[in-house]
Amino acid sequence: MRKLLLLLVVSFCWSCTDESGDVGFIDGGGVGVGGSTARFAINGEFLYIVSNTDLKVINISSVADPQYQSSTPIGSGIETIFGFKGNLFIGGQSGMKIYTVDALGRPTYRSEFVHRTACDPVIANDQYAYVTTRSGEGCNNTLFEANRLVTLDVSNLDNPFDVDQQQMINPRGLAFFKGDLFVAEGASGLKQFSLEDPAHPVLIHFHTEIAANDMIALENTMIITRDDGIYQFGCVDEDLELFSPIQ
């Protein structure tokens, strides 16, 4: 019954994800990786779930006996969660929030970067977080143009600030793959940015033939979700090549 309960929790969160339904994981740990539009992430013995307004923590140290631990109000319009090295980067329609988790799994608020209302996936590394802001139905921002790729300096987790903004078409999920930054542009295609200067991503290829909503990047393959199914691409001669579709 406990295993079934955990499965139901995971299934519920999957159904709440935006566009792709991907699962986010912190620090790997051999469990897996996830896309930038995930609504839940795992760090060690704890599962973190974001609803529209709360960050929920479940202790999964015992797979047979998962325990609900806490719920923390974190605002409204919360959409995504991305974990990196014990930190949670939470995307919402009003901005990105950063939380740090301790050894007992408890999240502590660190800071946030506020932007005008827009849909907001986020991924991060040691120094920078990359955020897409998107206009459209459900994003509550019909009065202004929100379609941008925003680069944030998060080297100081208590004081994130933007260092670069670039106009996009209608951006969605993001992923790091083979040292580059990939940004999904929905039906318009998939953009590939060089991170030679990580503070200022440079567009090096626009794969207009590859529609994409979000990506899960593995070592040698990238799983892309889009409206008509799931597609696995690999890197062949420094270019993306379709390996297999699941339609």
Side-chain angles (χ1 to χ4, degrees):
M1 180 60 70
R2 296 287 186 174
K3 291 181 180 179
L4 177 60
L5 175 62
L6 181 57
L7 179 60
L8 288 174
V9 169
V10 171
S11 298
F12 171 78
C13 297
W14 188 285
S15 69
C16 292
T17 55
D18 174 40
E19 310 270 12
S20 71
D22 299 326
V23 186
F25 294 92
I26 306 170
D27 295 340
V31 180
V33 294
S36 64
T37 57
R39 276 198 178 268
F40 57 107
I42 292 175
N43 180 47
E45 299 180 341
F46 301 94
L47 170 67
Y48 297 88
I49 304 167
V50 289
S51 69
N52 290 334
T53 58
D54 300 290
L55 173 61
K56 303 178 187 297
V57 184
I58 297 176
N59 188 319
I60 55 172
S61 56
S62 172
V63 177
D65 189 27
Q67 297 289 323
Y68 176 82
Q69 181 163 304
S70 66
S71 179
T72 304
I74 56 175
S76 61
I78 303 302
E79 296 176 326
T80 65
I81 182 170
F82 181 86
F84 183 76
K85 294 187 176 179
N87 298 305
L88 304 174
F89 296 84
I90 298 174
Q93 291 190 359
S94 62
M96 178 202 69
K97 301 175 187 289
I98 302 176
Y99 283 75
T100 296
V101 297
D102 64 17
L104 298 178
R106 298 171 299 197
T108 300
Y109 172 83
R110 298 290 296 270
S111 61
E112 64 185 294
F113 174 80
V114 177
H115 57 63
R116 301 176 75 176
T117 304
C119 293
D120 178 14
V122 55
I123 60 174
N125 56 30
D126 284 312
Q127 187 169 359
Y128 296 98
Y130 301 92
V131 176
T132 58
T133 61
R134 175 169 60 89
S135 61
E137 183 179 356
C139 297
N140 298 323
N141 57 0
T142 58
L143 299 179
F144 78 104
E145 183 63 42
N147 299 303
R148 294 184 180 277
L149 169 63
V150 182
T151 303
L152 303 176
D153 188 318
V154 294
S155 54
N156 179 356
L157 293 173
D158 297 315
N159 183 34
F161 59 94
D162 65 312
V163 294
D164 188 79
Q165 293 196 24
Q166 300 187 39
Q167 189 67 42
M168 304 289 283
I169 300 172
N170 197 229
R172 297 152 193 260
L174 314 89
F176 300 120
F177 184 59
K178 297 295 183 180
D180 291 336
L181 172 68
F182 287 79
V183 181
E185 286 272 27
S188 297
L190 179 65
K191 287 182 175 176
Q192 180 177 353
F193 292 83
S194 168
L195 293 180
E196 184 174 353
D197 178 1
H200 303 283
V202 174
L203 180 65
I204 57 176
H205 200 121
F206 189 5
H207 304 271
T208 56
E209 76 285 4
I210 304 177
N213 290 333
D214 197 16
M215 298 78 68
I216 298 176
L218 306 176
E219 183 177 358
N220 294 308
T221 58
M222 182 161 59
I223 300 169
I224 295 176
T225 63
R226 61 197 204 195
D227 292 345
D228 62 348
I230 303 171
Y231 294 77
Q232 181 177 235
F233 284 79
C235 191
V236 178
D237 295 329
E238 298 185 355
D239 200 6
L240 292 178
E241 181 176 303
L242 177 63
F243 282 177
S244 61
I246 304 174
Q247 295 179 321

